[in-house]
Amino acid sequence: MEKREKGPVEILCDEIGFRFDLRYERPEIFLSFVSVLVEKVAYRAAMDQQIASAFGKPVEPTEFDRVLSLIRAALGSDDPITNAALTHDLIHEVNPEDGPCNHYIDMLSSCASAIRFGLEKPCHSRHAADAANHIWKRIYGISLFDNFTRGWSNDWARAQFQEAIFRLADK
């Protein structure tokens, strides 16, 4: 008997402990999950901009805005893998490894990796779960790890996955 290849949604579900159903294995569900993550990052960045403007600091379009626009375009495109690669190219230009880190761009880089490597066939990527964990750690300021940390991260990722499914159901 030939072993079935797991797709990106099944790999994600395995990683975060979400009960998988074969009907979930669709690119729309995977991309919806990544979209939820991207919007969490966008919301946090917008909050920071609002706080900055409340204290009189001018808020101008940033490199983050360019990256956000590009990854949103990748999520809605007919060729998300290629567009995620273009997003990575921009990220390496505006947020180089050896320069100061814009953590919001870094989180979007994780999302671009999830798209780029998660939709490859065959899929062996854990990038979607890693992106969720990365964003969760940044949003909640987690830097120390104990026996509970992974479980909390997975709880949060499962909630984002449910939100992704509900978003598709509402369309």
Side-chain angles (χ1 to χ4, degrees), residues 40 44 134-143 156 160:
K40 297 292 180 194
R44 295 297 293 211
H134 180 192
I135 293 165
W136 173 78
K137 286 190 298 190
R138 276 277 168 218
I139 287 175
Y140 294 103
I142 306 298
S143 59
W156 186 82
Q160 307 323 300

Side-chain angles (χ1 to χ4, degrees), residues 3 8 11 19 45 49-50 62 65 80 83 100 131 138 143 151 161:
K3 186 177 177 183
I11 291 170
R19 194 181 117 269
Q49 287 181 337
Q50 288 294 324
T62 64
D65 296 317
N83 287 294
R138 276 277 168 218
S143 59
F161 187 72

Side-chain angles (χ1 to χ4, degrees), residues 15-114:
E15 286 293 315
I16 66 173
F18 194 94
R19 194 181 117 269
F20 177 73
D21 184 301
L22 199 52
R23 293 173 291 183
Y24 294 160
E25 198 59 74
R26 297 182 8 230
E28 302 85 31
I29 289 179
F30 183 78
L31 291 171
S32 182
F33 176 75
V34 177
S35 177
V36 167
L37 298 180
V38 166
E39 295 312 315
K40 297 292 180 194
V41 174
Y43 176 77
R44 295 297 293 211
M47 279 182 32
D48 280 357
Q49 287 181 337
Q50 288 294 324
I51 291 168
S53 70
F55 287 97
K57 294 184 179 180
V59 177
E60 298 174 10
T62 64
E63 300 299 347
F64 170 79
D65 296 317
R66 288 179 53 204
V67 172
L68 179 61
S69 178
L70 204 52
I71 197 160
R72 282 176 170 159
L75 286 163
S77 76
D78 291 334
D79 188 2
I81 294 173
T82 299
N83 287 294
L86 293 172
T87 303
H88 266 149
D89 292 345
L90 176 61
I91 288 169
H92 292 304
E93 177 186 318
V94 301
N95 199 41
E97 299 262 340
D98 58 348
C101 181
N102 178 317
H103 293 294
Y104 291 119
I105 292 175
D106 197 38
M107 288 185 276
L108 292 182
S109 179
S110 293
C111 294
S113 293

